[in-house]
Amino acid sequence: MDSPTRGAEDFIAALWNDFDDDYSGVFSYQQYTNGSVLTRATQDINQYFSQVNINAAWVFVVTWRYALQPDPAILFQVVLISGSGQSYFLMNYGDCAVLYGQLEAGYDTINSTSYFVIPDSTNGNYQNLKNTTNVNVPGRWAFNAWAAPAIFYLFGSAAGDTEYSLTSDEGYVPVSFSIPYTFFDNTYNSLYVRFHFQCQSTVNMNANVVIINSFLLDLN
């Protein structure tokens, strides 16, 4: 990925790497406009960003799992949170199997006006992502997007997620937001949750559409 890309897309790259998942992956997502998830998100963001006061009105949770037996060999999650005119996002990391080639985790914006790369994602210590943090919660990275394990939110069928099993090399699922989500300077009303055999997880946001790849959230 080589951030800053200085490209024409906003994206969150939860885990960017080229590898063949051999159809062993599952991703699940759900958006919330009421209930305990909003309460948890409100508490988390107010704790991590002490200078703000947010009341979460909308939360979108997407989780990727690969090699599911007996436990996911690769597990990570992105959480988009908005409310009170503010937007935030979390990246949560569980276990990560051995991967090869270039790997990177972070986010970038149009023209790279704002970008960040998690250090351990590029220095060979990517399997330690579950122990890294910028908010004193191991495995969790939290970011403010409206200005330039136990940490995971509930996910999967038990949480009521819409869930898909991978049956091809690549594809996507469109999702319309119940409430618009602002990512830095742009506001989006929908996204695509995408998967690709290269195992890229992204959210792309562009023209009011966000594209979430299996390892990258590309805001397109």
Side-chain angles (χ1 to χ4, degrees):
M1 185 174 66
D2 293 328
S3 291
T5 62
R6 308 197 187 284
E9 293 182 331
D10 292 330
F11 61 82
I12 303 167
L15 190 61
W16 181 284
N17 177 255
D18 291 344
F19 80 93
D20 188 350
D21 65 3
D22 196 28
Y23 308 147
S24 65
V26 173
F27 67 85
S28 60
Y29 67 88
Q30 187 167 182
Q31 53 186 319
Y32 302 85
T33 56
N34 55 61
S36 61
V37 170
L38 266 65
T39 300
R40 180 179 180 182
T42 296
Q43 293 172 344
D44 285 345
I45 297 305
N46 286 327
Q47 175 184 347
Y48 305 150
F49 301 90
S50 59
Q51 302 303 313
V52 304
N53 183 17
I54 183 176
N55 185 19
W58 175 83
V59 175
F60 179 83
V61 181
V62 57
T63 308
W64 292 270
R65 292 166 282 167
Y66 289 85
L68 303 182
Q69 301 298 330
D71 296 310
I74 301 174
L75 175 65
F76 59 94
Q77 183 180 74
V78 171
V79 183
L80 309 181
I81 299 167
S82 67
S84 304
Q86 306 168 40
S87 297
Y88 299 84
F89 62 96
L90 310 177
M91 291 190 284
N92 295 324
Y93 293 95
D95 288 334
C96 185
V98 174
L99 300 173
Y100 299 95
Q102 182 182 8
L103 189 146
E104 192 168 304
Y107 69 87
D108 203 349
T109 60
I110 294 171
N111 297 320
S112 297
T113 55
S114 295
Y115 66 91
F116 181 81
V117 176
I118 298 175
D120 273 0
S121 70
T122 58
N123 63 9
N125 293 328
Y126 60 89
Q127 289 185 289
N128 191 50
L129 284 172
K130 66 180 180 180
N131 297 313
T132 65
T133 182
N134 65 344
V135 290
N136 202 33
V137 179
R140 171 168 293 169
W141 289 77
F143 301 95
N144 181 341
W146 62 284
I151 61 169
F152 278 72
Y153 281 66
L154 293 176
F155 64 86
S157 57
D161 286 2
T162 302
E163 191 168 70
Y164 289 86
S165 295
L166 306 185
T167 57
S168 62
D169 285 343
E170 58 184 314
Y172 65 88
V173 177
V175 182
S176 296
F177 293 160
S178 55
I179 292 177
Y181 181 76
T182 299
F183 187 79
F184 293 91
D185 294 329
N186 298 297
T187 300
Y188 300 94
N189 296 305
S190 61
L191 57 74
Y192 291 99
V193 179
R194 296 198 311 193
F195 62 91
H196 192 280
F197 76 93
Q198 291 181 322
C199 212
Q200 300 171 343
S201 303
T202 66
V203 175
N204 290 7
M205 302 185 186
N206 192 338
N208 289 333
V209 175
V210 181
I211 301 177
I212 300 186
N213 280 359
S214 61
F215 268 22
L216 173 68
L217 298 182
D218 285 332
L219 311 177
N220 214 344

